Amino acid sequence: MRLLYLLQLVCLAGCSTSRSREWAHHGAPMFADLTVREMKAVRDYLHSIPEMELTSARSKTLKKNSILLMELHLPKKYEALRALDRGQAKPPRQARVIVQFGNQTKPNITEYIVSPLPSPKSHTVKTFKGEKPVQFDSRPITAAEYDNIVDILVMISAKAHKLLFETTGGFSFTNCSDRCLTFSDIAPRGLGSGERRTWIMLQKFVEGYFIHPIGFEVLINHQDLDPEKWTVEKVWYSSRYFDSVEELVEKYESGEVEKVKLPDHSDDDFFSTYIPRGHSNTPTNIHGPKLVEPQGPRYYVDHNFVEYAGWSFAYRVRSSAGLQVFDLRFNGERIAYEISLQEAIAFYAGDTPAAMQTKYIDAGWAMGTSTYELAAGIDCPEIATFADLYHYFDTDKPVRYRNALCIFEMTTAMPLRRHFNSDFQGGYNFFAGLENTVLVMRTISTVYNYDYIWDFLFYQNGVVEVKVSASGYIHATFFTPNGLHYGTKVYNYVLGNLHTHLIHYKVDLDIAGRENSFETIDLKFVNFTNPWSPKDFVVQSKLHRTEHKTERSAAFRFGKNFPRYLHFYNPSEKNKWGHQKGYRIQFNSHAHSVLPRGWREENGISWSRYPLAVTRHKDSESTSSSIYTQNDPWEPVVSFEDYIRNNEDIVNQDLVAWVTVGFLHVPHSEDIPNTATPGNSVGFFLRPFNFFDEDPSVASKSTVIVRPGKDGKPKVQRWTPEVIGHCVTDKPFFYNGTYAGV
């Protein structure tokens, strides 16, 4: 009878696991990015509505009504969970569409939810929390607007042609063949809400033009939808400000302005390129090490559903923000409903107007659409599985980004666990170890000059690592002596400007269910009489737990003491040893605030006040930023501070952790030509904390145990075939384990 009961339990556990996997697979399409078919259907549906009067997004006129962006609109969490946890029907797919209405008396930005997909029949207006309207001037800049900016720069450069030509040694903005000038535009575009004034700096158009400023910066007011009414408000040259291009040219010609003369640009001036130079001691006639899969991949990918070593999850690459993971499970049990990139910012300082104005808020540049093709063998190993991505931003048809996401398993060349057990007599009792292999999912966003490498890493022991690594070109401005207070001279007339990168993530944890609580754990010293030597005292550390009951209590400010253990747990679920099942967030970051609280642009990034804030889940608080924040950070339509202002109870609730990581970057000469990734990676870990009864990686059959045999020879115990082959090694595994004097 007892045996029958045990068999029933085993069957129930197996059936439950199988059903969980089936429902996870069933629900994954809810989170998949819009398909090409869906995008075209939504476009055609909206264009068929006469009163919208939609036209081409790419026509040069700004007085038009057009689709700016289209992306998946996520289902409400409770609706999604019906499909994920009960196998019920999935809610209809919907699209979020941003339409810019420029061809009307009062231009506006309107967002719509279009459904059902793939055959839309209805649309409703989407509003933001608090019914905040979207200011038309907060819209992202488009290709059409850039076309018109180029036109005014042509006019400006014609007036200043001699100055630019003499300054650069023969470069010009037009009629230039291989000695052309280009430009970089700075954001935010103004000093207050409702403005659209942009500082633009000119650069030599060569490989790596980001680090070729020429010292000419101009402020253009392009708020009017008629480019003929655009004006030049300021010009900066030779460390001086002028009210117009004409004033500068006049004073340049009269000798009232010190003339800047850049060194002659020669074809062998390669400092901003990747062309090798200098001596290398690395042999060039043989390849370095490569990853191999001796028997093929050990993970499974079906569209946006991925499985690996007990893990399963769905993913999307949101056009406005980037890589996101949903329904993350380990051995069928959900750990997190959502882990998603929300925002990336880089706030600069400097001496030139462009430098002091630069505060990049990258969702405002549709950061998710900047995921270009990944190079096999460089961006991802050759063995990776690559996937195309499709986006609809500032376009008239979906755009395909080939091989823009990759998934691969890799060895870390570091054991996950290992131990050598010495007999302290020149031998050993046993050696045991487990190699550390992880699954990596990666995209790379190139947002103008910077390349952000976004990684999710899934470990065999139930740990998830979320990481970003920075590379690409530094944002550089023209060197001035005073600029050394704000950066480093990295080349002739080039200043690498100091800046701080901050990255914001949403982490919707569901630990053993939706009802979770949050506590912090730290240490405090205790002093007591030594029980075995009463005349002495013992001083040692003791666990100090703090339960955080409200959102304000769980919002930790930068600059304040930050607890070392951040523990999310289910009060009602315990492991075998009586501990509440939990996970903790562990930071790998040295971020700090970028502006004083409440100072102008800081209002748009109020999430940046907190390395961690914990709130109750609300579908109305789905994101911490928006695509409009870049061009109106002063009065943002999404204000993260509003999420914690009501200070709700967070005990035994559905909780969301909002995580900020980042780093200060003071550029240095080694950032030429590019910032390198070592030392420029930040992120966080999700680590099980009494969630399991033991390390779940004990299930791995890749473990190797070596014990000395009675004959003195090592006896190797393994559960997977030994890999011997020319791609790995032609030598069989051998372990001696002895040590002796020589």
Side-chain angles (χ1 to χ4, degrees):
M1 194 70 178
R2 183 181 178 187
L3 178 60
L4 179 61
Y5 175 69
L6 290 173
L7 288 172
Q8 288 175 330
L9 287 179
V10 171
C11 180
L12 285 172
C15 292
S16 176
T17 301
S18 175
R19 190 168 58 228
S20 173
R21 189 265 178 195
E22 179 184 330
W23 290 347
H25 196 186
H26 159 75
M30 291 186 294
F31 308 110
D33 289 310
L34 297 180
T35 65
V36 170
R37 177 190 173 193
E38 289 172 330
M39 290 178 182
K40 290 181 177 180
V42 170
R43 176 200 61 193
D44 294 345
Y45 167 75
L46 292 176
H47 273 260
S48 71
I49 301 173
E51 55 268 30
M52 286 196 179
E53 299 180 336
L54 296 182
T55 60
S56 169
R58 286 298 180 137
S59 63
K60 195 170 181 178
T61 178
L62 302 180
K63 293 181 178 180
K64 64 187 176 189
N65 302 341
S66 61
I67 296 172
L68 177 66
L69 178 139
M70 188 189 304
E71 64 184 13
L72 176 73
H73 179 66
L74 288 172
K76 289 181 169 57
K77 183 175 180 179
Y78 76 89
E79 294 177 335
L81 290 180
R82 290 174 184 167
L84 295 170
D85 294 345
R86 304 178 198 170
Q88 293 183 5
K90 299 184 289 289
R93 281 171 62 79
Q94 299 177 315
R96 171 205 180 202
V97 185
I98 301 175
V99 177
Q100 48 185 5
F101 290 99
N103 187 25
Q104 51 192 55
T105 305
K106 188 175 181 181
N108 71 81
I109 296 290
T110 304
E111 295 201 7
Y112 296 99
I113 304 302
V114 180
S115 65
L117 303 182
S119 302
K121 297 181 178 62
S122 66
H123 60 285
T124 57
V125 174
K126 178 185 180 297
T127 58
F128 287 89
K129 189 179 177 74
E131 303 292 321
K132 293 180 182 178
V134 178
Q135 297 292 333
F136 189 69
D137 292 311
S138 70
R139 70 193 185 281
I141 198 163
T142 61
E145 196 164 3
Y146 275 126
D147 286 344
N148 287 284
I149 286 175
V150 168
D151 288 346
I152 194 172
L153 288 176
V154 168
M155 180 190 70
I156 292 168
S157 63
K159 295 178 181 179
H161 175 76
K162 181 181 177 184
L163 178 153
L164 297 173
F165 196 84
E166 292 177 351
T167 296
T168 60
F171 282 71
S172 59
F173 198 76
T174 57
N175 302 320
C176 49
S177 63
D178 62 344
R179 297 177 78 81
C180 296
L181 296 175
T182 186
F183 70 95
S184 289
D185 57 316
I186 306 304
R189 304 178 192 281
L191 298 174
S193 185
E195 296 185 9
R196 205 164 178 85
R197 301 185 297 153
T198 298
W199 275 102
I200 289 174
M201 61 176 176
L202 297 189
Q203 301 146 320
K204 293 180 179 178
F205 188 45
V206 296
E207 283 191 18
Y209 59 84
F210 311 100
I211 51 179
H212 286 270
I214 67 167
F216 185 96
E217 301 178 5
V218 58
L219 177 61
I220 297 174
N221 187 326
H222 53 112
Q223 183 175 28
D224 202 286
L225 293 180
D226 181 0
E228 295 296 322
K229 297 180 181 179
W230 291 2
T231 58
V232 174
E233 296 190 347
K234 288 287 180 184
V235 182
W236 183 89
Y237 176 81
S238 192
S239 296
R240 290 178 57 183
Y241 290 88
F242 305 89
D243 291 327
S244 67
V245 179
E246 290 82 0
E247 180 192 0
L248 166 60
V249 170
E250 179 185 337
K251 291 182 177 179
Y252 179 88
E253 294 289 353
S254 66
E256 294 181 55
V257 176
E258 181 180 350
K259 296 183 178 182
V260 176
K261 180 66 173 71
L262 299 179
D264 288 337
H265 185 95
S266 59
D267 292 336
D268 59 354
D269 190 0
F270 296 136
F271 83 95
S272 62
T273 77
Y274 268 72
I275 298 172
R277 58 262 193 192
H279 176 71
S280 172
N281 290 314
T282 303
T284 58
N285 59 336
I286 57 174
H287 286 288
K290 295 287 185 181
L291 282 178
V292 298
E293 292 173 330
Q295 282 85 40
R298 302 194 298 178
Y299 57 90
Y300 171 78
V301 180
D302 182 18
H303 298 285
N304 74 318
F305 179 70
V306 183
E307 288 181 304
Y308 167 76
W311 291 106
S312 71
F313 59 89
Y315 73 83
R316 73 184 282 218
V317 179
R318 186 183 177 208
S319 296
S320 52
L323 189 58
Q324 305 183 337
V325 163
F326 293 90
D327 192 30
L328 177 65
R329 308 186 191 206
F330 191 81
N331 290 338
E333 191 167 7
R334 184 175 301 110
I335 306 297
Y337 176 76
E338 176 183 354
I339 307 175
S340 58
L341 174 62
Q342 294 291 307
E343 186 61 274
I345 68 171
F347 276 36
Y348 288 77
D351 187 47
T352 79
M356 62 183 72
Q357 179 68 8
T358 303
K359 299 172 183 66
Y360 287 138
I361 306 172
D362 288 337
W365 305 77
M367 178 169 59
T369 67
S370 301
T371 48
Y372 302 103
E373 183 173 2
L374 302 173
I378 300 173
D379 296 323
C380 311
E382 291 88 343
I383 61 170
T385 298
F386 291 86
D388 296 343
L389 299 176
Y390 297 87
H391 296 292
Y392 198 109
F393 173 70
D394 191 24
T395 182
D396 291 321
K397 59 184 179 181
V399 178
R400 176 188 181 188
Y401 295 79
R402 294 177 181 272
N403 298 338
L405 178 141
C406 71
I407 298 172
F408 58 93
E409 184 183 12
M410 72 172 188
T411 174
T412 64
M414 172 74 71
L416 182 67
R417 292 181 282 106
R418 62 95 64 196
H419 179 65
F420 174 81
N421 192 252
S422 173
D423 66 1
F424 303 105
Q425 298 178 21
Y428 65 104
N429 298 314
F430 75 92
F431 163 83
L434 173 61
E435 65 177 333
N436 188 13
T437 56
V438 300
L439 186 77
V440 181
M441 180 169 64
R442 172 175 296 164
T443 61
I444 301 179
S445 298
T446 301
V447 190
Y448 198 57
N449 59 303
Y450 255 106
D451 295 64
Y452 293 109
I453 304 168
W454 309 105
D455 284 344
F456 281 81
L457 297 91
F458 304 91
Y459 292 81
Q460 301 173 70
N461 61 339
V463 171
V464 180
E465 182 181 2
V466 183
K467 182 171 71 171
V468 57
S469 305
S471 188
Y473 286 94
I474 57 173
H475 179 60
T477 55
F478 196 74
F479 175 80
T480 65
N482 194 49
L484 290 174
H485 295 294
Y486 308 105
T488 306
K489 184 177 183 180
V490 293
Y491 205 73
N492 293 323
Y493 292 98
V494 183
L495 183 83
N497 297 81
L498 72 84
H499 54 283
T500 297
H501 293 276
L502 293 182
I503 315 296
H504 203 228
Y505 290 94
K506 177 184 181 181
V507 186
D508 182 354
L509 293 166
D510 286 353
I511 307 300
R514 294 182 66 180
E515 289 72 38
N516 292 172
S517 294
F518 171 64
E519 68 173 357
T520 56
I521 306 174
D522 232 313
L523 301 178
K524 67 177 182 179
F525 290 120
V526 290
N527 185 337
F528 56 89
T529 301
N530 190 324
W532 52 269
S533 181
K535 63 182 177 58
D536 296 308
F537 293 91
V538 174
V539 175
Q540 63 183 14
S541 296
K542 180 182 180 180
L543 290 175
H544 179 66
R545 297 176 183 265
T546 303
E547 183 182 16
H548 296 270
K549 297 183 178 181
T550 62
E551 291 174 327
R552 277 291 179 197
S553 168
F556 300 90
R557 294 290 302 272
F558 277 115
K560 304 291 185 181
N561 288 334
F562 193 41
R564 285 174 282 185
Y565 272 55
L566 309 162
H567 183 212
F568 295 81
Y569 62 95
N570 189 315
S572 304
E573 296 291 331
K574 296 182 179 181
N575 72 358
K576 183 178 180 179
W577 316 113
H579 297 292
Q580 290 157 331
K581 301 180 73 170
Y583 259 72
R584 69 184 184 97
I585 296 177
Q586 178 178 311
F587 278 67
N588 171 30
S589 170
H590 47 95
H592 209 279
S593 298
V594 291
L595 284 174
R597 181 187 177 106
W599 176 258
R600 294 185 176 180
E601 296 87 358
E602 195 271 348
N603 288 308
I605 55 165
S606 55
W607 53 264
S608 70
R609 300 168 185 171
Y610 312 100
L612 176 71
V614 181
T615 65
R616 285 173 64 167
H617 174 272
K618 287 187 176 69
D619 288 309
S620 61
E621 297 175 352
S622 59
T623 64
S624 60
S625 189
S626 83
I627 200 170
Y628 313 108
T629 306
Q630 174 66 93
N631 292 329
D632 191 356
W634 308 281
E635 297 179 11
V637 293
V638 175
S639 174
F640 179 76
E641 193 68 28
D642 291 345
Y643 296 1
I644 58 178
R645 186 166 279 124
N646 55 3
N647 199 26
E648 289 185 293
D649 168 44
I650 58 170
V651 176
N652 208 22
Q653 301 289 339
D654 188 358
L655 301 183
V656 177
W658 303 88
V659 175
T660 305
V661 297
F663 62 96
L664 167 67
H665 186 184
V666 180
H668 44 90
S669 55
E670 294 81 8
D671 281 314
I672 302 299
N674 267 184
T675 295
T677 53
N680 288 317
S681 297
V682 295
F684 62 94
F685 292 86
L686 290 178
R687 300 182 58 185
F689 193 71
N690 296 314
F691 187 85
F692 304 101
D693 296 335
E694 60 181 348
D695 184 339
S697 70
V698 295
S700 173
K701 300 300 188 289
S702 297
T703 299
V704 175
I705 303 175
V706 184
R707 300 182 180 90
K710 293 181 180 179
D711 57 1
K713 296 180 180 179
K715 302 297 182 184
V716 180
Q717 188 175 13
R718 61 191 320 145
W719 288 262
T720 55
E722 184 172 350
V723 177
I724 303 175
H726 71 278
C727 287
V728 182
T729 178
D730 56 2
K731 299 177 182 178
F733 177 83
F734 176 75
Y735 190 85
N736 181 276
T738 62
Y739 54 98
V742 294

